[in-house]
């Protein structure tokens, strides 16, 4: 049986790597689309307003993650509702999803690949 002095550093390392896992879920477009059908889901487009105007997912709320008032604006949303976040390619929405989970949002999901990989029609 390995000694405790050998196991403790290993356990500490495993716990360190677990902390690197995002608190939000990354979903494929198919998973994201299916999840949006649940009642009470909040759909958040974190692109710039001009990008949003060019086409967005139906029912989306636009709050630009790069805007200085992003944290203030998302604070007005219900933190208990499932929140689905997307952007153009998935990078800004991953950033936003991390910010949302840190500020207390319970159920946050990010669209992998963003609208570039979204197979359904966008609305204007």
């Amino acid at each position: 049986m390995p000694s405790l002095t050998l196991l403790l550093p290993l356990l500490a390392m495993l716990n360190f790597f677990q902390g690197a896992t995002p608190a939000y879920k990354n979903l494929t477009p198919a998973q994201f689309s299916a999840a949006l059908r649940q009642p009470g889901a909040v759909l958040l487009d974190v692109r710039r307003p001009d990008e949003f105007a060019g086409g967005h997912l139906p029912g989306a709320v636009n709050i630009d993650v790069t805007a200085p008032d992003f944290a203030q604006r998302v604070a007005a949303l219900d933190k208990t509702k499932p929140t689905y976040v997307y952007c153009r390619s998935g990078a800004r929405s991953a950033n936003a999803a991390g910010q949302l989970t840190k500020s207390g949002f319970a159920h946050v999901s990010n669209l992998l690949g963003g609208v570039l990989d979204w197979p359904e029609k966008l609305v204007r």
Side-chain angles (χ1 to χ4, degrees), residues 28-30 33 111 114-122:
T28 65
S33 179
L111 174 60
V115 293
L116 289 177
D117 288 347
W118 188 247
E120 301 173 31
K121 190 170 184 128
L122 299 177

Side-chain angles (χ1 to χ4, degrees), residues 58-111:
V61 174
N62 182 220
I63 303 177
D64 182 356
V65 70
T66 63
D69 63 346
F70 177 76
Q72 181 182 0
R73 291 186 63 199
V74 295
L77 300 175
D78 186 341
K79 293 181 180 185
T80 64
K81 290 187 176 182
T83 305
Y84 296 88
V85 186
Y86 74 93
C87 65
R88 180 179 174 271
S89 66
R92 285 178 284 177
S93 56
N95 176 1
Q99 289 183 52
L100 292 171
T101 57
K102 284 180 185 171
S103 63
F105 282 75
H107 307 283
V108 180
S109 298
N110 174 48
L111 174 60

Side-chain angles (χ1 to χ4, degrees), residues 38-50:
Q38 69 180 303
V42 175
L43 179 58
L44 186 59
D45 183 321
V46 297
R47 298 176 299 160
R48 294 184 321 270
D50 63 307

